[in-house]
Amino acid sequence: MRLARKGPPCKLARLASLLCLSLTCAAHGGELVLFDFAPPFEPTQVSVTDATVRRVASDAGSALRVETGTSQSWPGVTLVARDGCWNLSAFSHVVLRLRNVGEKRVTVHCRVDSDNVDGKARNVTQSLTISPGAEREMQVPLQRTSGDTLGGKLFGMRGYPAKNGGDQTIDPTKVTQLLVFVGHPTVANDFEISDIRASGEWVSPTAWTTDANPYFPLIDMFGQYRHQDWPGKTHSLAELLARRTAEEKELRKDRGPRDWNHIGGWVKGPRRKASGYFRVEKVDDKWWFVDPEGRLFWSHGIDCVGALDQTPIEQRQHWFEEFSDDQRTFESFFAQGHVLKGHYAGAAVRCFSFAGANLQRKYGDDWRQISASVTHRRLRHWGLNTIGNWSSDEVRSLRRTPYVDAITSNGAVVLEGSDGYWGKFPDVYDPSFERALKKSMADRGTKSANDPWCIGYFCDNELSWGDDISLAVATLRSPPRQAAKQVFMAQLQKKHLDIAALNQVWGTSHKSWESLATSRDAPPDVLRARADLQSFYSQMADTYFSTVRRVIREAAPQQLYLGCRFSGANDLAAAAAAQHCDVVSYNLYQHSIADFKFAGGDVPLLIGEFHFGALDRGLFHTGLVPVQNQKARAEAYRQYVETALRHPQFVGCHWFQFQDEPTTGRFYDEENYQIGFVDVADTPYAVTTEMCRRVGEALYKMRHASDSSRPNK
């Protein structure tokens, strides 16, 4: 649902169009202040919806304090451009600072509106969740291009070649107002807005299609977009081989940070007890890994090392230049892939790995061994000391860089009433859950289990933990044969004794325990049933984490349980994880984790995934956290890792992923993000890797010197 747009009256709108022609912005690459809440500003100048506003002052300057109610779906404020509109064509985004002065976490949305020449409204929206007492910066991209499917001729991708305009874009020359609001609140919220400005240099996407005629084929022999050029693009086999030679010279010169031991631990730091395996310890109010030799270790890593993504080729062979199914040279890079989401969902489609073919072109018939060795040297050179999740056994088995591994509950009976982006939640009470875990762990037995180079194990990924009653509600929505439902029914009978007692508490009218068991409905009033629902949720979460821990310990007693890689977690799930995991892991796709508060107490935390991407290197999608160009991507990397280093609970962070995803989308979910440290032709992104190297060199000094006085809650 969108807010009803509040624009200027017709006469003012026409005047605004004229004013926009003469307005000028700050110097190219600079910033433009959009609102200043210092006097003579008056709160009466602000349009409000179910909100009250007032100006507040501090040492940092003036801010607008907004207190929103609960009577409207989208309470907040509208800030109209003083002169009718701004011309923000030189800028990439609007920035504002937000401070949560309330007692609850709040998600604040900012919508930027513009008018077309014909008066048609266009807007872009961004949101940010802020903890109580925290202050964060929100960036709203001034998105002026959208994807073009060429009338349906393009499909199977998350991002498409850019064209001007379309849904969720604006005209940056006619930005008329900003709306700052919360959505469907159940409690009042209290936050402050300040420092509103336009910032960042606008860079046109490399995937512009205006002069691409004929459009097909759109992908060259290396898997790159044909219709544009950019720094680092591979144009020939000779260029690919020349880059191998040039990088070899570079790797010989620099063997990585000088204050690291061969494992990547802090050789100049304090010596702790050596156990022969990785462990965790709190030292001087900060959590650390301790490496097998007893050195403090902070895990600076990258995911999907050596993993070669594939893209579907069925129904679109004509997309690819010099490509056919009978290329015997690259026969090993063809495969059948089962698709989870998108155009090919549910089908097994023929796929091809351009990334793999390029490694064979670059390194020859022994490309697996050679590229694996080069990868370890690259990681050290780039200041990375950990091979993250989803990485290949060929690279990990060389045992030259510490790594993490993962097991899964795939194959277990699922909780039928549940749902989630990656699938339903496992039924932790069904015997198949533990069997699936043991089978997965057994597969690691001859590889990573009891290997001192293996830090530990994740289990599963981004499960849908929902709110603190969701799994209990999902259990009630499951059939009576569901093991979890049978356990829940037994607990309810033990607590309430008879169905009439339960009906009185829940406000239901079940005739018997059998009718409750066969019902597939949630309680009509979850507030009345909340105590029972939360109790069962806590038990289910505890059962999940305790079972995984036991299975890992039985097979690999010296290695760490690294959690489930939360994409989000309520307090009950977090508390259960803290009880049983050696390290609790999160995948946090945002610009900073400086104000991250963990509800489970003072335990070590690990970032399993984060990334940033841009549209200036021939790909069609930025990934989950967009930036305007490669320089901004490198800077965002530095800022993110430094916030993790300063946080006393985080013991590491791992970038997702080593290589860009395929230009035309990976086979199982269509992702085609510019998120790699190397591109599809195995060429490193020099700006990003150089920044990573600088961060790695300063890693332990920064961690050691960081302020750890911040509270855990």
Side-chain angles (χ1 to χ4, degrees):
M1 181 177 180
R2 297 182 181 180
L3 273 75
R5 190 176 183 279
K6 296 182 179 179
C10 294
K11 291 184 179 179
L12 181 57
R14 287 194 293 270
L15 177 61
S17 296
L18 295 173
L19 286 170
C20 284
L21 298 176
S22 60
L23 286 173
T24 57
C25 292
H28 190 63
E31 293 188 332
L32 177 68
V33 175
L34 302 182
F35 285 99
D36 185 350
F37 297 114
F41 169 83
E42 291 293 337
T44 54
Q45 299 171 230
V46 178
S47 175
V48 300
T49 301
D50 190 21
T52 59
V53 297
R54 57 190 171 96
R55 182 168 54 83
V56 294
S58 68
D59 294 339
S62 297
L64 183 69
R65 185 159 182 172
V66 182
E67 299 177 26
T68 63
T70 59
S71 63
Q72 299 290 322
S73 296
W74 306 97
V77 299
T78 301
L79 304 170
V80 179
R82 184 180 61 181
D83 294 320
C85 71
W86 301 283
N87 178 359
L88 304 184
S89 56
F91 302 101
S92 64
H93 51 270
V94 166
V95 179
L96 60 157
R97 293 206 64 81
L98 298 166
R99 188 164 76 94
N100 184 359
V101 292
E103 298 179 353
K104 300 284 187 180
R105 285 166 64 90
V106 60
T107 298
V108 180
H109 308 265
C110 179
R111 197 181 86 189
V112 180
D113 284 352
S114 73
D115 279 327
N116 265 337
V117 175
D118 61 2
K120 181 181 178 182
R122 288 165 60 182
N123 58 71
V124 291
T125 305
Q126 186 63 276
S127 62
L128 184 68
T129 300
I130 316 168
S131 300
E135 182 175 3
R136 293 184 60 189
E137 181 177 278
M138 179 192 289
Q139 295 188 1
V140 187
L142 296 173
Q143 181 66 30
R144 62 208 77 183
T145 58
S146 63
D148 187 0
T149 65
L150 301 184
K153 294 178 182 179
L154 296 178
F155 50 85
M157 300 181 283
R158 293 288 181 91
Y160 290 85
K163 68 175 181 180
N164 192 33
D167 292 339
Q168 289 295 294
T169 66
I170 65 167
D171 180 348
T173 68
K174 299 179 179 67
V175 175
T176 57
Q177 61 186 14
L178 310 179
L179 288 79
V180 185
F181 55 93
V182 296
H184 299 283
T186 57
V187 297
N189 290 285
D190 197 353
F191 58 90
E192 293 177 0
I193 311 169
S194 63
D195 193 19
I196 304 178
R197 63 195 189 279
S199 184
E201 177 186 352
W202 166 248
V203 178
S204 177
T206 51
W208 205 264
T209 59
T210 54
D211 59 354
N213 186 28
Y215 193 70
F216 294 101
L218 72 150
I219 302 298
D220 69 15
M221 63 182 289
F222 299 107
Q224 304 166 121
Y225 186 56
R226 286 184 64 238
H227 297 305
Q228 289 289 353
D229 203 3
W230 57 86
K233 185 177 184 179
T234 297
H235 302 90
S236 66
L237 180 59
E239 192 171 74
L240 186 72
L241 297 177
R243 287 177 179 168
R244 173 185 176 181
T245 302
E247 186 180 16
E248 175 62 29
K249 293 179 180 179
E250 184 180 355
L251 293 176
R252 286 177 182 173
K253 290 189 298 184
D254 183 5
R255 299 179 183 272
R258 297 179 181 179
D259 61 350
W260 291 13
N261 63 11
H262 72 288
I263 301 171
W266 190 20
V267 73
K268 295 183 179 180
R271 190 76 176 261
R272 314 302 293 179
K273 179 181 178 182
S275 66
Y277 289 86
F278 283 89
R279 60 186 184 85
V280 287
E281 182 179 343
K282 194 172 186 180
V283 180
D284 295 331
D285 297 323
K286 304 182 190 74
W287 282 102
W288 294 83
F289 284 116
V290 178
D291 77 16
E293 295 183 348
R295 296 297 184 183
L296 298 182
F297 182 96
W298 202 87
S299 183
H300 189 209
I302 191 166
D303 295 327
C304 303
V305 177
L308 303 177
D309 281 331
Q310 298 171 325
T311 192
I313 58 176
E314 283 190 21
Q315 305 172 27
R316 51 185 190 177
Q317 288 88 341
H318 62 290
W319 291 20
F320 308 104
E321 181 183 52
E322 299 180 24
F323 181 87
S324 64
D325 284 10
D326 61 358
Q327 294 185 68
R328 298 301 178 190
T329 304
F330 303 118
E331 186 175 7
S332 62
F333 303 111
F334 291 96
Q336 291 289 119
H338 183 77
V339 181
L340 297 177
K341 298 178 180 295
H343 176 80
Y344 301 97
V349 299
R350 189 161 173 78
C351 305
F352 184 74
S353 175
F354 285 96
N358 289 333
L359 289 177
Q360 182 170 305
R361 290 182 175 110
K362 187 173 184 178
Y363 298 110
D365 291 341
D366 294 330
W367 66 270
R368 290 185 184 276
Q369 293 75 23
I370 296 172
S371 64
S373 179
V374 168
T375 295
H376 283 282
R377 296 169 66 197
R378 279 176 166 176
L379 296 179
R380 188 80 175 194
H381 175 63
W382 295 342
L384 294 164
N385 62 8
T386 306
I387 296 172
N389 205 31
W390 319 116
S391 297
S392 76
D393 287 332
E394 286 85 358
V395 177
R396 293 186 299 208
S397 64
L398 293 181
R399 292 172 172 80
R400 290 164 53 183
T401 305
Y403 64 91
V404 297
D405 205 349
I407 62 172
T408 177
S409 63
N410 286 349
V413 170
V414 296
L415 191 62
E416 291 190 26
S418 67
D419 55 24
Y421 182 82
W422 295 115
K424 297 180 182 292
F425 201 89
D427 186 342
V428 300
Y429 296 104
D430 192 286
S432 64
F433 176 64
E434 186 166 343
R435 286 199 303 267
L437 295 173
K438 288 184 173 181
K439 181 180 183 301
S440 184
M441 195 69 213
D443 292 340
R444 316 315 301 157
T446 59
K447 298 175 182 177
S448 57
N450 302 306
D451 177 9
W453 286 91
C454 178
I455 297 172
Y457 293 92
F458 300 112
C459 181
D460 294 324
N461 179 65
E462 296 183 350
L463 294 171
S464 293
W465 291 94
D467 62 25
D468 58 4
I469 62 172
S470 61
L471 295 180
V473 171
T475 300
L476 292 174
R477 288 175 172 162
S478 297
R481 68 176 182 277
Q482 189 91 53
K485 192 163 191 178
Q486 293 172 8
V487 172
F488 196 12
M489 292 299 101
Q491 291 181 1
L492 292 173
Q493 289 185 56
K494 182 177 180 180
K495 177 179 179 180
H496 295 283
L497 301 180
D498 61 60
I499 194 66
L502 179 135
N503 284 334
Q504 184 175 8
V505 174
W506 284 21
T508 51
S509 56
H510 296 291
K511 295 181 179 179
S512 64
W513 290 112
E514 290 75 16
S515 70
L516 175 59
T518 57
S519 171
R520 303 289 294 272
D521 298 324
D525 186 347
V526 293
L527 291 177
R528 295 182 64 170
R530 191 170 190 82
D532 289 333
L533 298 174
Q534 285 183 320
S535 177
F536 186 69
Y537 185 106
S538 289
Q539 181 182 319
M540 180 173 277
D542 186 85
T543 301
Y544 174 88
F545 288 109
S546 63
T547 304
V548 175
R549 180 184 178 87
R550 184 175 69 253
V551 169
I552 292 174
R553 284 288 184 271
E554 288 173 356
Q558 301 297 322
Q559 284 161 317
L560 300 172
Y561 175 22
L562 303 176
C564 66
R565 298 159 59 88
F566 287 124
S567 61
N570 62 74
D571 290 357
L572 297 184
Q579 183 69 25
H580 298 287
C581 300
D582 298 300
V583 179
V584 177
S585 52
Y586 280 81
N587 296 345
L588 294 177
Y589 287 96
Q590 52 200 48
H591 281 277
S592 168
I593 53 173
D595 69 335
F596 185 84
K597 304 293 193 301
F598 179 62
D602 185 17
V603 300
L605 308 173
L606 176 67
I607 302 297
E609 294 180 16
F610 74 104
H611 68 219
F612 310 97
L615 297 178
D616 60 346
R617 290 299 185 270
L619 276 88
F620 310 152
H621 200 299
T622 62
L624 300 180
V625 186
V627 293
Q628 63 262 36
N629 54 37
Q630 297 306 301
K631 182 179 179 181
R633 192 167 82 120
E635 181 60 22
Y637 183 90
R638 180 191 66 79
Q639 292 179 3
Y640 189 101
V641 178
E642 288 184 359
T643 63
L645 284 165
R646 293 189 182 102
H647 196 298
Q649 289 184 262
F650 282 106
V651 295
C653 61
H654 300 167
W655 172 276
F656 184 90
Q657 59 180 21
F658 184 82
Q659 189 167 48
D660 283 341
E661 294 175 333
T663 309
T664 50
R666 62 184 187 183
F667 73 89
Y668 55 89
D669 66 353
E670 303 186 340
E671 284 187 11
N672 57 341
Y673 301 164
Q674 194 271 314
I675 52 174
F677 270 39
V678 302
D679 66 15
V680 68
D682 193 52
T683 301
Y685 287 109
V687 177
T688 298
T689 56
E690 171 60 21
M691 181 63 78
C692 182
R693 187 186 65 80
R694 288 165 52 188
V695 169
E697 287 180 341
L699 193 77
Y700 289 117
K701 291 180 181 178
M702 178 169 289
R703 178 66 172 174
H704 178 67
S706 63
D707 177 17
S708 62
S709 61
R710 67 201 323 283
N712 293 319
K713 296 182 181 179

